[in-house]
Amino acid sequence: MKVNKADEFYKILERKAIYPVFQPIVNLQTGRVSGYEALSRIDRSSTTLTISDLFVIAEQLGCVWKLEKLCRNKALKAAVEKPENVKLFLNVDGNIIQDKAFIQGFTNRKAMKAGVPASDIVFEITERSDIENYQILQQIMKHYADQGYEIALDDVGAGHSGLNRVVNTTPDYLKADIELVRDIHKDKKKEIMMKLLLDYCNATGAILIAEGIETVQELECLHSLGVHYGQGFFLGKPERAFGNISAESEEILERLNGRKNILFLDISGK
């Protein structure tokens, strides 16, 4: 790692040159927005780095919590504009609880100030680092669950999120990785794997969210399989405001859902 990148990193933290964007998470069986994932972006006038670069540098410098705290604080401040009865998904590094700088109760205080109840917040455990010790992972999940938050496992089916990680924990949501979604309508094996994940979620009471939906065909295939929720550029891009789904995807979901009259679980509670 070059020194100048470390300097850029610290300058970004000092200037708090990060802002949140929110991508809709959509109930595929109703077409309604039931949640938003909070993502972070950098003020491009201040650096050439990307947000992914920042987290790599933060890990190398031992400053992951400092960066994550800034991102989380920005997202929760903006959450005062969040619609009622929808979830806010916040990314959390799986090893963050072991960081000596980690501040317990930080999210509670910020969420209360923003008027966001704990029941509206989902902590999404990301794939930035592997956790081989499932007892630690369960400890992290219990830490947040005991405070009234829900838990999602991100990128299931890619990287470190193998089946062992899924069956050794009890998440409220599984987010199927983009690689399982990409061209799923052309690949029977991907369809079979997605159906297995869906069956597992239905049997355990978890919600399956398909990430990275970018085409009409992917959306139609996932809908036909009965996947609960979807997220991706085709449904809605990350924006600074809490927006609705795209007009095209709304029209398609109205058409698809007009063919069926089945009750599906809705995380919005309605």
Side-chain angles (χ1 to χ4, degrees), residues 8 82 131 133 146 161 209 213 238 268:
E8 282 190 71
K82 181 183 73 66
I131 304 179
N133 188 330
D146 285 349
S161 274
I209 303 172
I213 301 172
S268 70

Side-chain angles (χ1 to χ4, degrees), residues 113-156:
K113 190 172 182 180
V116 180
S119 57
D120 279 3
I121 295 176
V122 180
F123 277 103
E124 187 171 322
I125 300 177
T126 68
E127 277 298 284
R128 284 194 287 266
S129 59
D130 187 12
I131 304 179
E132 295 181 353
N133 188 330
Y134 296 117
Q135 290 183 335
I136 294 175
L137 184 56
Q138 289 169 335
Q139 177 190 352
I140 295 164
M141 296 171 74
K142 186 176 186 300
H143 169 79
Y144 288 115
D146 285 349
Q147 299 175 70
Y149 302 116
E150 291 183 311
I151 304 295
L153 281 185
D154 193 20
D155 299 328
V156 172

